[in-house]
Amino acid sequence: MRKFILILVFTVLSVTVMAQDSQWFVQTNFSWNAWYAVGQKSLVAPFHKFPGGGGDGHTGWGLSLSGGRWMTSALALRTKLNMWQMGTKSDDGQKADKYWTLNEQLVFNLSSVLMGHNPYRFWNFMPYIGAGLSRNMSAAHYTSNLSFGILNTFRLTPKLAGNFEIGWNSYEGNGGIALKDRLQQITFEFGVTWCFGTSKAKKKAEADAMESLSEGEIDALNAQLSDLEAENEQLRKELEEAKKAKNEK
């Protein structure tokens, strides 16, 4: 896993050095999540706790707000705040716990890595990894948080996109850092992304267009001047010939 992440980061940095595209963004999502107790294998059976999955319906809802910046066309830094409720178990009516989680994440746009930068692409596929701090407000204690997932964005306008995100989170459970000692969570999020600011790539394209337009205008003026000079020369010759013919008479 560590080797894969290192290879992915190296690939992103290598490919995107030539495609700078710095732009800010804000995202808001509605989240539906399921919690897995210490020792339960959320990655083996990610839908087990959701309705129809065969497990105790330990699900909840929440909201998320995130913002960040694309440092290149394929690498972004994102700060994400999640506010959610654990949910109520269907078997014993356990009261829901309320959480908030603050994560700092690296987002990799694999669509740009594999197919090149395209600001007009409809669908972008973006894995992410992150870490941060979480607080169980019901139990009044803090815990570390690890996260990874996949963010999918769907272009609606040049500044607005819909997004669908699948995420995994883990929290300290028995005090250990191993996966078997941590609470786990699977999330599904739906929302919108708003981009603002002008990207470096767009600024460069606009500058190139302006430069190209200016050169074209200069070329057109030069052509007009050349035509006028040619016409003046022709008129001058005709006038001299007319004077010469008049003198000969």
Side-chain angles (χ1 to χ4, degrees):
M1 183 66 179
R2 182 180 299 176
K3 290 183 178 179
F4 172 75
I5 293 174
L6 290 175
I7 292 172
L8 179 60
V9 171
F10 177 78
T11 302
V12 169
L13 293 178
S14 299
V15 172
T16 59
V17 162
M18 298 179 293
Q20 299 295 320
D21 190 21
S22 179
Q23 190 176 39
W24 296 92
F25 63 89
V26 173
Q27 296 171 323
T28 58
N29 288 337
F30 175 81
S31 172
W32 188 34
N33 53 80
W35 293 76
Y36 294 74
V38 172
Q40 294 182 332
K41 299 179 179 180
S42 61
L43 297 179
V44 176
F47 301 103
H48 181 64
K49 294 288 186 177
F50 287 95
D56 301 327
H58 205 173
T59 59
W61 57 268
L63 300 172
S64 71
L65 175 66
S66 58
R69 183 180 183 182
W70 285 102
M71 310 308 294
T72 74
S73 62
L75 178 63
L77 294 178
R78 180 173 75 161
T79 301
K80 185 175 184 181
L81 175 65
N82 286 84
M83 297 163 286
W84 43 46
Q85 183 168 310
M86 179 183 282
T88 302
K89 295 184 66 173
S90 59
D91 55 352
D92 58 8
Q94 177 181 334
K95 186 178 179 180
D97 285 350
K98 296 179 180 179
Y99 276 77
W100 64 255
T101 299
L102 185 64
N103 260 237
E104 193 66 29
Q105 299 171 336
L106 286 173
V107 183
F108 307 97
N109 190 332
L110 283 189
S111 297
S112 290
V113 173
L114 300 177
M115 296 179 287
H117 175 57
N118 180 4
Y120 304 103
R121 181 178 291 117
F122 173 68
W123 172 45
N124 284 284
F125 178 81
M126 297 176 281
Y128 65 84
I129 56 174
L133 181 69
S134 179
R135 179 171 175 81
N136 184 332
M137 293 184 291
S138 301
H141 69 80
Y142 290 94
T143 174
S144 65
N145 169 257
L146 301 174
S147 65
F148 69 83
I150 297 173
L151 169 64
N152 299 272
T153 62
F154 304 89
R155 185 178 186 271
L156 302 176
T157 72
K159 297 292 186 181
L160 188 67
N163 43 269
F164 169 59
E165 185 172 329
I166 303 173
W168 178 89
N169 295 276
S170 74
Y171 308 84
E172 293 177 19
N174 295 335
I177 61 174
L179 183 60
K180 63 182 180 63
D181 296 320
R182 301 180 68 88
L183 292 170
Q184 301 151 59
Q185 180 190 43
I186 300 292
T187 65
F188 293 90
E189 299 187 36
F190 307 84
V192 293
T193 298
W194 178 56
C195 299
F196 58 97
T198 304
S199 69
K200 291 181 180 179
K202 185 176 180 180
K203 287 181 179 178
K204 185 177 184 302
E206 290 176 349
D208 291 343
M210 290 298 296
E211 182 178 353
S212 175
L213 179 61
S214 298
E215 290 178 354
E217 289 177 342
I218 291 173
D219 291 340
L221 288 173
N222 287 333
Q224 290 178 4
L225 288 173
S226 297
D227 292 341
L228 289 173
E229 289 177 356
E231 289 179 4
N232 288 336
E233 181 64 21
Q234 181 64 29
L235 289 173
R236 187 183 63 81
K237 289 181 178 180
E238 291 178 357
L239 182 58
E240 289 180 354
E241 290 177 356
K243 288 181 178 180
K244 186 178 179 181
K246 183 178 181 181
N247 292 334
E248 288 178 354
K249 291 181 180 180

